[in-house]
Amino acid sequence: MAALQQAITDNKYALHEAARDGKAQIVESLLAAKPRLATKQDEDARLPLHWACSYNHLDIVRLLTAQKSFDPDVQDGSGWTPLMIASSLKDNSGTDIVNLLLETKEASPMITTNTGATALHFAVSKGNLDICRTLLKHGASARTKDVRGQLPLHRAAAIGNVPIVKLLLENKSPVNATDVDGMTALHHAICEGNGDVAVELLKAGAETDKKDGDGRLAMDCAPDAKVRSFILKAAEREGIDLE
């Protein structure tokens, strides 16, 4: 015990490091010796829990969320919650942590970062369809804009993820909303050459006569003739007149 106390004295972020490195036994020992370490912030205002989520250490997340001091919606210096971090892990790998935080710990999916983004924005950006479904099931909104005026739909259109675009539209995302640059989801989809997404948006009622801040129609943003031709032909098959 004396050695453990000395370790805590020598390294004030010992629990943060153990949580980051996946050392569950050390985390358990540190918490037993000094439970208040769970609420200690590092230089980025992050708790050990934020680091455990960042590195997808479910066993350590369980230890930290079992503490009396646990707050499921605690934010770091940038406004990120544990749920946001787990939602942003690639390939839906944070699903178990997301489920734990939402279903057992009642974390809120509606909290925003300093830039106005929600957990859903981050899940969409990483193409995490399963996590997007889970967040929406637990009350996330597809209608929340970040400080740039972007909905999750704008991000889904930009990365070219058709299933997520469909999911967001099913959950009442405005299809014609504009961001601070005057760009709709259709603008973003076409700018990035995501013709299949553009067609889905058109089928959902995306307006083609909206101009962005530079006066461009969405079709003006096509990166090349191939993308433009694909969209025109697909729209024609769907009975949508773009000319």
Side-chain angles (χ1 to χ4, degrees):
M1 181 63 72
L4 187 61
Q5 292 287 1
Q6 187 60 49
I8 295 172
T9 301
D10 292 342
N11 182 1
K12 61 181 179 178
Y13 299 131
L15 185 58
H16 291 76
E17 292 183 7
R20 180 194 64 201
D21 296 339
K23 297 178 179 178
Q25 289 186 333
I26 294 178
V27 168
E28 195 167 12
S29 297
L30 289 169
L31 288 172
K34 197 170 183 180
R36 285 182 297 173
L37 289 174
T39 59
K40 187 178 183 62
Q41 295 180 330
D42 64 13
E43 294 173 354
D44 296 313
R46 282 194 156 196
L47 302 184
L49 178 61
H50 290 106
W51 287 110
C53 291
S54 294
Y55 286 85
N56 201 20
H57 297 311
L58 178 61
D59 53 346
I60 294 176
V61 171
R62 286 196 176 112
L63 288 171
L64 292 167
T65 58
Q67 300 299 301
K68 291 181 179 180
S69 60
F70 169 66
D71 175 0
D73 299 321
V74 63
Q75 295 178 276
D76 66 12
S78 297
W80 284 62
T81 65
L83 179 63
M84 293 172 187
I85 294 170
S87 296
S88 70
L89 298 179
K90 65 180 182 179
D91 300 326
N92 291 289
S93 60
T95 295
D96 288 340
I97 293 177
V98 168
N99 288 337
L100 171 66
L101 292 171
L102 287 172
E103 296 175 5
T104 305
K105 304 301 179 180
E106 299 183 348
S108 171
M110 291 299 293
I111 293 173
T112 61
T113 64
N114 299 353
T115 60
T118 65
L120 185 60
H121 282 89
F122 297 122
V124 168
S125 293
K126 294 299 176 68
N128 290 336
L129 176 60
D130 292 342
I131 290 177
C132 288
R133 287 193 182 112
T134 300
L135 289 167
L136 288 163
K137 177 183 174 182
H138 286 83
S141 173
R143 304 174 69 87
T144 301
K145 288 187 172 185
D146 63 18
V147 295
R148 289 197 53 76
Q150 290 193 352
L151 297 164
L153 184 65
H154 289 98
R155 297 192 181 198
I159 67 170
N161 194 303
V162 172
I164 292 181
V165 165
K166 288 182 176 180
L167 176 67
L168 294 171
L169 291 172
E170 289 167 3
N171 282 270
K172 301 181 179 180
S173 176
V175 68
N176 291 307
T178 55
D179 62 18
V180 295
D181 296 314
M183 297 179 71
T184 63
L186 185 62
H187 279 90
H188 283 282
I190 296 178
C191 278
E192 298 299 330
N194 299 323
D196 49 353
V197 169
V199 174
E200 288 299 326
L201 292 168
L202 289 167
K203 287 160 60 177
E207 297 171 2
T208 59
D209 59 351
K210 278 183 172 287
K211 294 183 178 181
D212 67 11
D214 294 322
R216 300 177 303 170
L217 297 172
M219 286 301 292
D220 296 335
C221 299
D224 53 50
K226 184 178 179 180
V227 171
R228 182 180 178 86
S229 176
F230 172 88
I231 296 171
L232 289 172
K233 289 179 180 178
E236 184 179 4
R237 288 196 300 271
E238 295 291 336
I240 302 169
D241 184 13
L242 298 184
E243 297 292 352

